[in-house]
Every structure is written in C-alpha cells, then in structure tokens.
Amino acid sequence: MSMWLHQSGDALRLAARRLIASPVNTLLSVLAIGVALALPAGGQMLLANALQLARNSTPAPQISLFLDLDADKRAIRDIDGRLKNHPGVKAYRLIPREDTLARMKANEGLADVIEALPKNPFPDAFTVLPADDRPEAMEQLAAELGKLSKVAHAQLDSDWARRMAALLKIGRTGVLLMALLLGVGLIAITFNIIRLQVTTHRAEIELSRLLGATDAFIRRPFHYFGVLLGLAGGIVAWMIVAGATWWLRGPISELAQLYSLEFSLRPLALVDSIALLAVAAALGGIGASLSLSKHLRDD
Amino acid sequence: MIKVDHASKRYPPGFDALSDISFEVAAGELVTVGGHSGAGKSTLLKLIAAMERPTGGAVLVHGQNMGSLKRTAIPYLRRNLGIVFQDQKLLFDRNAFENVMLPLTISGFPPAEAQRRVQAALDKVGLLGRQKAMPIMLSGGEQQRLAIARAVVSRPNLLLADEPTAHLDPETAADVARIFLEFRAVGVTVLIATYDDSLFPDARRLVLAQGRLQ
C-alpha cells in the first residue's frame, strides 16, 4: 500500500513535471479543453438561472375545486377533512360563495349585473396548493379531487407550468447534447495528446520495461497526465463561466428591472462546479486510458 | 546461475543469429563472450535478459526458463538483473542521480533507502560528485560509468554488459573494466559481451563466430 502510494506520488509528480516542461503546448491543450467544457457548463448555469427565475416570478400553481351549488355545510366539512389528510395537498383554503359574491360586487363593471340576478350564482370553492408541482402529478391530483362527491369541477391552472416544463426540458436536452458531444471531443483531444506523449517518451518507456517496470507503472504517469490536463481544462471552463456570469450580471439585472423582476444572475452552483471538475478529470483519464491501450500495447 | 541448452535464435526470413549454443555459468563467475560484431553476442545477452525468446532450445536463469515466461512475470525477473546496454540508454532529460534512481523507483523502494543506495552506487563508479549533472555534460567514460551504476543500484546477483568498453580510450576502458572486476570480487556473477577480452584476463572466455560457440 505504501509502495503504491509512493509510486503514485512519483507518477503524479512526473506527470506534473511533463505538463510544466512544455508550457505552451499545455496551455493550448488546457484552453481547448476549457473552452469545450465551458459551453455545456455555461448552459447549465443559464438553465439553473432560468429555473430560478421561473420559480420566483410566477405564482405557485394551484387547483381550484368548484362545488355543486347545492353543496351544504356537511359536504363542505367532508371535503375539508379529506383535503386535510391528503398527502398530495400542501395547503388549501375555502372560499365561501358569499365572499366570492362580495368580491364580484366590489368590481364596478359587474356590480349591476350581479344585482340583477335573483340569487348568488357562485359556488363554494377550495383552492388547493399541491405538494408536488410537476405537471403530471398536479394533473393526477386534480383528477382525483374532481371525483370527490359534491365537487362539480376541478380546474388545474397548469398551462404555464406545462409550457415552462417543456421549455426547461428542451434546455436540459440541449445542455446534455452539448455535454455529450464536447465530452467526446475532450476524449479525442486527450487521446491525441497522450499519443504524442507516448511518442515523445518512447525511449523512457522502452528503458523502464527493460529495467523491470510493469505495464501499470508505465501507464500511470500518462494516465495522470490525462487526468491533470482534464482537471486543468475543467478549472479553465469554470473560470470562463464565472467570468461570463460576472460580465452578464449587470445587463441582465437591468433587463430584469425593466420587467419589474428581482433577479440577479447566479454563478455555477457548488454541486455543478464539483461535477464539472470531476467530469473533466474523468474524461481526461478515459481519453488517456484509451490512447494507452492503443499505443502502449506491444512495445 | 545461467544455463543455455542448445539454444538458437532465427530471425525471419531465415537468418540464424545463434545456432545450437550450450554453456553454463556458475554463481560468482566472470565470463566474457567474445567474437566479431555480428557474431551473435548481443542476441545471446538478449535471450538471457528475456528481451528476445529463443526459437530453439532453452535459456535458464536462476532455474527459470526465459523462453516460456509469461509476459507479466518478466518485469519481476528483470529486477534481479543488472544490464549495461550497448547504447547505454541513459535518459537525457534526467540528471545522473535520477537516472540511477529509476530502477529503484520501478521496484518500489522506500525513498530514503533508495537515496542511500543511489549514492552508494554513484560512489562506487566515482560519480558521487556529479549527481546533479545531466548525462549530456558527462564524458563518454562517465556516461558508461553512470550506466553501470544504474545496472548495479538494485544489487543484482547477475550483471550483464554489452560492449561496455567500446568507444572508450584504453585508459578509460581499463577503468571501466576494473569496476566490473570489483563487482565480481563481491560475489556478483558477471557476463560481458566484448570484442576486447584482454581487459578481463581472469575471465572464462566464450567466443562466438557466426552464431556458434568456438
């Protein structure tokens, strides 16, 4: 174990030394990887912000239950009880028909019309705030509540939610697609860089074999080289996204203010940042592994 | 220590580098393999170091058949073997100390102990004062001595050398030869391929000509 640690430490130092030994090449490679990763990372950042904006600026989706006009106090108590115990209901509120009538009368244009009616035309109603705000879940809850006795109609105010969900889905798919494509690109970049590294260090590889080095020993520094390159590229990507966030924050806040929205662009979340670095390092390692299995096989 | 039993090596399309070679080397012996260039000396050393496999017969080192070793077993076997290569194979991007350190790094020596051993090996060949020198800054004789230090740093009981005194002036060659004699004196088995075996008057001599033992 301690031998493995020593050898890994040595390999890591060697890999770092090789990276530093050709600074221009390293810088260009890291920039290429960084720019490639910055696109999906930036996409993720924008997506997270769009989601945030959507949550903050639209009212929470709710289900309106309109009762039958002949629903009595007992029926209302009955529904009240069911809503109280339903796990899918986060909050609910009764709107008595008298209140609705009063509110409608307060509306100048409608007051005369309502006065002319022989009796209160409005039903009692409940507004229900679902616990789960995914469109499918809300729809299911609305359908279920619509079947309660004395409920005439359950209306789901979900059009906006569906549209938003569809938009976010496109955004997510786009980011994923971009990440996949550029991930493959990153593997290809590392593959080629490691091929060049193997060629450059051919003499050393050959000598190490003659001195009794195992395949694992020979591969290790190249593998770490790929991982370090990927990691450095990830850091560059993170800095590009952070820079873009900082740069865009002013103009976007201005725009938000014009729409009377309280919004300011947030940088990449911690989890996303860690994921970015981990994926970058892993892709670098995969590219290196593939390249090594091809270029170190038989010498 | 070494047993070569009717070994031959044929390279395609039909060139016989070695034909039906048999000899044994006992532990602690000093043996030179003479002959003109192209006689098969390097090929013989390559068979013993498992760098090549014989196409006929067998080569046994420490009782192990080098021709039938698994690929994964070869590294561990080579660690007990000191080899001075004909072209030295020094790494020119590492200094003298790091060049000698390489075999110990490969076999996973604890760093502190490894450092002492590297210094002992460099001292042995008279290069202790030049640890930090890059190989390019060393003279031909010093480069050869550095290659020897690297071959002996892991204290192998078998030392193979391929033309270690070639391209050296007589004085330097004698100096290098003396180093091999010193290793032999402490019990290391030494096998040297050389066209000039007059440098090793005490050695048992084998002579190859056109791939056959004379």
Side-chain angles (χ1 to χ4, degrees):
Chain A
M1 182 63 191
S2 87
M3 171 178 146
W4 184 87
L5 275 181
H6 278 310
Q7 291 198 331
S8 293
D10 283 344
L12 197 59
R13 265 194 298 280
L14 187 60
R17 212 163 79 166
R18 286 176 183 167
L19 278 171
I20 295 165
S22 47
V24 178
N25 279 341
T26 303
L27 196 68
L28 289 176
S29 310
V30 166
L31 272 180
I33 295 171
V35 169
L37 283 172
L39 290 172
Q44 174 60 30
M45 181 272 288
L46 291 176
L47 200 63
N49 276 291
L51 197 65
Q52 190 65 35
L53 183 63
R55 288 239 167 88
N56 288 352
S57 57
T58 40
Q62 55 181 31
I63 300 169
S64 307
L65 299 181
F66 300 104
L67 306 194
D68 290 334
L69 282 170
D70 63 350
D72 55 10
K73 292 280 180 235
R74 240 191 65 205
I76 291 174
R77 256 206 316 281
D78 194 38
I79 293 169
D80 189 282
R82 279 168 184 273
L83 290 178
K84 191 177 281 176
N85 296 322
H86 199 291
V89 174
K90 190 164 152 196
Y92 67 93
R93 194 163 65 90
L94 170 67
I95 304 171
R97 49 195 302 200
E98 297 77 23
D99 290 10
T100 314
L101 185 69
R103 191 150 48 87
M104 290 299 172
K105 272 187 183 162
N107 190 322
E108 271 180 40
L110 286 173
D112 294 341
V113 180
I114 291 169
E115 284 294 346
L117 292 170
K119 58 176 186 169
N120 185 351
F122 301 109
D124 288 309
F126 282 95
T127 58
V128 175
L129 201 62
D132 186 346
D133 64 358
R134 281 174 307 147
E136 315 85 64
M138 290 194 295
E139 214 148 276
Q140 203 184 345
L141 183 66
E144 187 190 330
L145 297 179
K147 286 186 194 128
L148 293 176
S149 77
K150 295 292 180 191
V151 172
H153 179 61
Q155 187 180 319
L156 174 59
D157 168 25
S158 73
D159 280 355
W160 75 267
R162 296 193 144 267
R163 280 185 206 127
M164 183 50 90
L167 268 176
L168 286 177
K169 199 169 178 182
I170 291 172
R172 245 183 233 126
T173 313
V175 167
L176 192 67
L177 197 66
M178 206 151 52
L180 279 177
L181 281 176
L182 293 165
V184 171
L186 198 160
I187 290 177
I189 294 174
T190 331
F191 185 92
N192 208 33
I193 292 170
I194 297 296
R195 183 179 65 81
L196 289 174
Q197 279 286 313
V198 169
T199 313
T200 311
H201 297 283
R202 182 66 67 183
E204 185 175 340
I205 293 168
E206 190 195 341
L207 174 66
S208 298
R209 284 232 162 89
L210 292 174
L211 294 177
T214 56
D215 283 350
F217 180 91
I218 290 172
R219 293 174 72 113
R220 212 173 280 139
F222 294 103
H223 195 258
Y224 287 158
F225 188 94
V227 171
L228 285 180
L229 209 56
L231 191 62
I235 291 170
V236 167
W238 188 89
M239 292 196 306
I240 291 174
V241 174
T245 311
W246 177 79
W247 206 10
L248 282 171
R249 180 173 274 168
I252 285 185
S253 291
E254 246 169 70
L255 181 69
Q257 263 167 11
L258 293 179
Y259 282 95
S260 321
L261 292 171
E262 197 59 50
F263 178 72
S264 116
L265 203 61
R266 293 176 185 205
L268 214 50
L270 185 64
V271 181
D272 290 340
S273 303
I274 291 169
L276 169 66
L277 296 184
V279 166
L283 289 177
I286 292 171
S289 286
L290 291 176
S291 187
L292 289 173
S293 357
K294 175 148 176 58
H295 299 113
L296 273 186
R297 203 178 293 149
D298 283 319
D299 31 33
Chain B
M1 178 67 70
I2 303 175
K3 184 178 180 190
V4 179
D5 188 16
H6 298 290
S8 35
K9 177 70 185 178
R10 169 175 287 200
Y11 291 106
F15 168 68
D16 286 308
L18 292 173
S19 314
D20 197 23
I21 306 280
S22 295
F23 68 92
E24 285 187 41
V25 177
E29 255 193 306
L30 168 63
V31 176
T32 59
V33 180
H36 294 293
S37 89
K41 305 189 295 283
S42 295
T43 306
L44 182 60
L45 290 194
K46 281 178 181 168
L47 292 185
I48 296 171
M51 289 157 70
E52 302 267 10
R53 286 169 193 266
T55 45
V59 176
L60 281 79
V61 178
H62 297 298
Q64 276 191 299
N65 189 340
M66 305 303 274
S68 63
L69 277 177
K70 270 197 214 143
R71 204 182 107 76
T72 47
I74 291 175
Y76 302 97
L77 199 120
R78 287 210 180 119
R79 292 178 194 177
N80 296 320
L81 209 61
I83 311 176
V84 180
F85 303 98
Q86 189 169 15
D87 56 353
Q88 298 171 340
K89 298 192 191 297
L90 297 173
L91 296 178
F92 283 83
D93 59 344
R94 302 193 190 194
N95 65 30
F97 182 91
E98 291 164 332
N99 265 283
V100 180
M101 186 65 147
L102 187 60
L104 299 182
T105 311
I106 286 172
S107 54
F109 249 75
E113 161 97 38
Q115 196 161 343
R116 276 196 297 277
R117 280 206 176 190
V118 171
Q119 279 164 346
L122 284 169
D123 190 26
K124 189 87 188 157
V125 300
L127 286 177
L128 190 54
R130 312 221 53 188
Q131 321 188 20
K132 298 272 179 226
M134 300 306 270
I136 200 76
M137 296 154 63
L138 300 175
S139 70
E142 285 174 322
Q143 290 188 5
Q144 190 57 271
R145 285 187 276 151
L146 184 60
I148 296 172
R150 190 186 59 200
V152 299
V153 72
S154 40
R155 299 185 187 165
N157 46 23
L158 175 58
L159 182 57
L160 306 176
D162 194 358
E163 298 287 8
T165 57
H167 319 298
L168 297 180
D169 62 77
E171 201 177 319
T172 316
D175 207 32
V176 167
R178 187 184 45 76
I179 297 173
F180 283 102
L181 296 179
E182 283 172 13
F183 282 111
R184 193 261 175 117
V186 294
V188 179
T189 311
V190 183
L191 183 69
I192 301 172
T194 176
Y195 73 100
D196 181 14
D197 49 17
S198 64
L199 283 166
F200 307 94
D202 302 339
R204 178 153 72 93
R205 287 155 200 235
L206 302 173
V207 178
L208 282 172
Q210 292 173 331
R212 290 176 185 279
L213 270 185
Q214 298 292 294

